[in-house]
Amino acid sequence: MDVIVLGGGLMGAASAYFLARRGARVTLIERKRIGSGATVASFGNIRRSGRYLSQLPLAHRSLRLWGEAEKMLGRDVEFRATGHIRLIFDEGSLADMRAYAEAARPCGLDLEEISPREISARFPGLGPDAIAASFSPRDGSGNPRLIVPAFAEAARKLGADIIEEADVETIKHTSAGFLVATAKGAFAAECLLNTAGAWGARIAAQFGEEVPLSARGPQMGVTEPLPYRILPVIGIWTRDKDYGAYLRQVERGNIVFGGAAERVSVDLDPGHAAADPMRLPAQLRAVARLLPAIARVAVIRTWSGCEGYVRDMLPVMGRSATMPGLFHAFGFSGHGFQLGPGVGDAMAELITTGGCETPLDDFSVDRFSHNNGA
């Protein structure tokens, strides 16, 4: 089986690897460099806590693969299962957390509720005003700049062709499958996997599948290095987007942070957003609610990127509803990093066997036409 994968982010690189591991002949085509789109803008959060319930089976599958990544790919991608704590500052958010924890338990996710005294004892320096927190001990973080090249190189060793800096000019369906013309030549295959991220809706539209997707850029930042003391990833339960901050400390000591800043619209040509320094003070005030000590630390870099957000915040994943041999995996709406290995594994299973052990029905591309009464 020949498969063309369009898009060289985490979803595309992981799919190329797992497809090649299953014996498919794979060509991955990336318009820029591997891992230069949404992945490079990622926070690196590997969390199941707070996910849509329909995503949890895929998240469980992916977490298992994150745990195997170093052995599987032959390099350390800095996956650390240090846990994920989400602080709570008001009674409404506490009720939200408890309701979510109860609903998620049958789906295989157990969240531990932590009191203020336990927060202080187990995670000193975090959220002094928090009234509670949830803790998911098996979650953690990984390095977005390492995981995509690792998957791409492992796929290449299995025989996959990785074509970078190749703008796609045309995509045609032929009697034999698909013909993709690029700036670096034409490529043919019987199957086409659309992992083009924020550009994925454009590809789907060529085959009559309309997806309500907008391109947006997050605002991320990183501080100077400090002594390494903060082990878990830290987030918040809140209904207020102005307080939706998150942070983690890497082993080199730097604190990576994000959230609490409106994601800006991105023009897909050229497809990149710049961080806005005017938003940084308010963002840091929200982050300091989680970790007051960050107020005394220098920020050394900020950045943004380009992520694809679907209207209902769920990805598009599975078979095309209009074209045999076409598959989609895009639109992960800013929370796809944890899912990446699981997405690649699930899509490879679906393409090569015709079925998938992980339920994907909620992510079907035709859900939007159904909603419109079509």
Side-chain angles (χ1 to χ4, degrees):
M1 172 180 285
D2 294 293
V3 183
I4 292 173
V5 179
L6 290 181
L10 177 53
M11 307 307 174
S15 296
Y17 169 76
F18 287 111
L19 281 163
R21 200 167 78 165
R22 287 177 175 266
R25 293 176 294 275
V26 182
T27 301
L28 185 153
I29 301 171
E30 164 56 38
R31 64 191 291 267
K32 291 186 177 179
R33 301 290 295 179
I34 291 294
S36 63
T39 308
V40 79
S42 173
F43 172 64
N45 197 0
I46 298 175
R47 68 163 176 88
R48 294 166 300 154
S49 172
R51 286 199 173 276
Y52 292 94
L53 298 181
S54 60
Q55 288 185 350
L56 284 176
L58 185 61
H60 296 324
R61 180 174 186 159
S62 200
L63 184 63
R64 175 178 57 80
L65 292 168
W66 275 108
E68 299 170 0
E70 183 172 358
K71 181 179 179 181
M72 182 171 62
L73 303 177
R75 67 171 75 175
D76 179 13
V77 295
E78 297 182 4
F79 168 64
R80 304 291 186 265
T82 53
H84 185 271
I85 184 171
R86 298 185 74 175
L87 300 172
I88 301 166
F89 294 91
D90 61 86
E91 293 293 337
S93 298
L94 178 58
D96 289 345
M97 185 278 289
R98 287 173 173 169
Y100 178 84
E102 183 176 356
R105 193 170 296 112
C107 301
L109 177 62
D110 288 317
L111 295 181
E112 177 187 357
E113 183 176 329
I114 303 176
S115 69
R117 180 176 296 179
E118 290 173 305
I119 296 170
S120 178
R122 294 168 61 179
F123 309 106
L126 299 187
D129 298 327
I131 64 170
S134 68
F135 186 60
S136 180
R138 294 180 56 217
D139 292 340
S141 63
N143 191 325
R145 295 181 179 272
L146 297 180
I147 187 63
V148 182
F151 266 124
E153 182 58 29
R156 185 181 284 114
K157 289 178 180 178
L158 292 174
D161 290 325
I162 311 295
I163 313 297
E164 297 180 274
E165 297 181 337
D167 277 323
V168 173
E169 297 167 350
T170 61
I171 304 172
K172 295 181 179 179
H173 184 252
T174 71
S175 59
F178 298 87
L179 182 65
V180 179
T182 78
K184 290 193 173 181
F187 304 89
E190 59 188 285
C191 293
L192 179 68
L193 173 56
N194 170 17
T195 58
W199 293 263
R202 286 185 173 182
I203 295 172
Q206 294 184 43
F207 297 93
E209 298 180 303
E210 297 296 329
V211 176
L213 180 146
S214 60
R216 299 191 175 276
Q219 176 150 310
M220 309 298 300
V222 64
T223 72
E224 62 184 325
L226 301 169
Y228 181 51
R229 294 174 180 168
I230 304 170
L231 297 183
V233 178
I234 305 160
I236 183 173
W237 288 95
T238 180
R239 302 173 186 177
D240 188 342
K241 64 181 181 181
D242 291 334
Y243 290 108
Y246 44 85
L247 65 95
R248 66 185 179 94
Q249 187 175 28
V250 302
E251 291 172 0
R252 292 171 293 281
N254 311 79
I255 296 173
V256 183
F257 62 88
E262 188 72 24
R263 289 173 170 84
V264 298
S265 296
V266 181
D267 184 346
L268 289 178
D269 302 303
H272 188 78
D276 181 357
M278 299 302 292
R279 297 168 180 259
L280 187 58
Q283 186 177 37
L284 285 174
R285 284 194 293 272
V287 175
R289 197 181 191 200
L290 308 181
L291 179 68
I294 203 169
R296 302 187 296 273
V297 180
V299 175
I300 60 175
R301 187 169 71 90
T302 59
W303 69 93
S304 186
C306 183
E307 299 172 330
Y309 285 78
V310 181
R311 182 176 60 204
D312 61 7
M313 296 296 286
L314 294 176
V316 174
M317 191 174 168
R319 291 184 181 86
S320 164
T322 63
M323 182 59 63
L326 174 63
F327 298 84
H328 301 296
F330 69 89
F332 287 85
S333 305
H335 49 246
F337 184 73
Q338 191 275 348
L339 300 176
V343 169
D345 192 32
M347 293 309 299
E349 181 189 4
L350 178 62
I351 292 170
T352 58
T353 72
C356 183
E357 66 179 22
T358 300
L360 303 177
D361 290 348
D362 284 356
F363 315 137
S364 173
V365 68
D366 65 352
R367 68 184 188 267
F368 306 107
S369 60
H370 293 164
N371 290 341
N372 291 334

